[in-house]
Amino acid sequence: MTGARYDGLVALVTGAASGIGAATVERLRSEGARVAALDVAAVPAEDGVLPLACDVRDEAGVAAAVARAASWCGRLDLVANVAGVASYQHTTAVALAEWERILGVNLTGTFLVCRAALPHLVAARGAIVNVASLAGVRGWRYSAAYSAAKGGVVALSRSLAVEYAPDGVRVACVCPGSVDTPLRGGLTPVPNPHPRLDGHARALLDPPVADPAEIAAAIAYLGAPEARFATGAVLRLDGGAGV
């Protein structure tokens, strides 16, 4: 769907330089939104896009970026937290620094952006859509840190949905399975995997990997006013892998 669903509205998308984030920026722009596009990597300056350079783990940087996004057009209606990192490792091989990196970007970063944006979203009676993962709602092999972080995103989303419902702010999250993104392409297979775990949680569809635009379409729906009754929703987008 394209059209005027987001005409006059302003969105902030994290992880906007590639993958699901870039697809979400494009989808929201196609529906009329002006989009503040936040990433540690460079985001192209385009009509209707405000590039913001920020590491979502940086509390002061996040606060400044969100304030810039809200002042850009005088409002902030939607936050889509897409920024994320992952790795496959045997749990006994996960260094503390890697655990902290994965939780920092995926969970703490999501929290910091939400916290900074909430006063603006209350004023606009807006919405938050967080990107979690199938790994956050079911067991996932060799992904202890990533699963813990994405499970936290699911719980955070539900908690915020309850707390801010009286203020008219809607909060939901999507849980993709495999998506054709640079994040997925950059994952290194774990050495010596157990043969019984091969094919665990495989999508039922062919091809079994989603296009980022499919996830962006769900984010655009959940962030729109028509999804008022989807607050608190945890939407699996996994091609049946979690059935």
Side-chain angles (χ1 to χ4, degrees):
M1 173 180 176
T2 59
R5 183 160 59 172
Y6 280 90
D7 271 1
L9 303 185
V10 179
L12 169 66
V13 178
T14 74
S18 64
I20 296 170
T24 301
V25 171
E26 185 56 35
R27 177 68 186 228
L28 295 175
R29 284 182 67 218
S30 76
E31 297 198 31
R34 295 174 66 84
V35 185
L38 185 154
D39 206 299
V40 290
V43 177
E46 301 178 272
D47 185 41
V49 175
L50 173 68
L52 296 170
C54 181
D55 184 329
V56 293
R57 296 171 293 179
D58 177 356
E59 182 178 12
V62 165
V66 170
R68 177 73 180 94
S71 65
W72 179 37
C73 298
R75 62 186 297 141
L76 184 60
D77 302 278
L78 169 64
V79 168
N81 281 299
V82 186
V85 294
S87 65
Y88 287 140
Q89 288 181 278
H90 292 278
T91 298
T92 53
V94 177
L96 179 59
E98 178 67 355
W99 171 272
E100 292 175 340
R101 181 183 78 95
I102 291 176
L103 266 72
V105 174
N106 292 292
L107 180 55
T108 303
T110 296
F111 164 74
L112 290 174
V113 173
C114 288
R115 188 182 67 178
L118 275 163
H120 306 289
L121 297 173
V122 167
R125 299 181 71 84
I128 296 169
V129 183
N130 295 322
V131 175
S133 170
L134 178 60
V137 293
R138 64 162 298 166
W140 200 260
R141 62 200 184 282
Y142 307 120
S143 300
Y146 185 71
S147 292
K150 290 302 191 179
V153 171
V154 172
L156 172 64
S157 301
R158 286 172 164 158
S159 181
L160 293 178
V162 172
E163 182 176 351
Y164 284 91
D167 296 304
V169 176
R170 296 166 287 107
V171 185
C173 73
V174 297
C175 294
S178 293
V179 185
D180 185 14
T181 66
L183 174 66
R184 176 179 180 271
L187 290 173
T188 302
V190 69
N192 303 314
H194 196 290
R196 288 178 58 186
L197 299 181
D198 184 46
H200 176 68
R202 193 178 296 280
L204 302 177
L205 302 181
D206 186 22
V209 179
D211 187 278
E214 296 177 277
I215 313 304
I219 293 171
Y221 164 68
L222 289 171
E226 68 192 89
R228 183 175 70 93
F229 252 58
T231 195
V234 179
L235 178 61
R236 279 197 359 243
L237 301 166
D238 57 22
V243 173

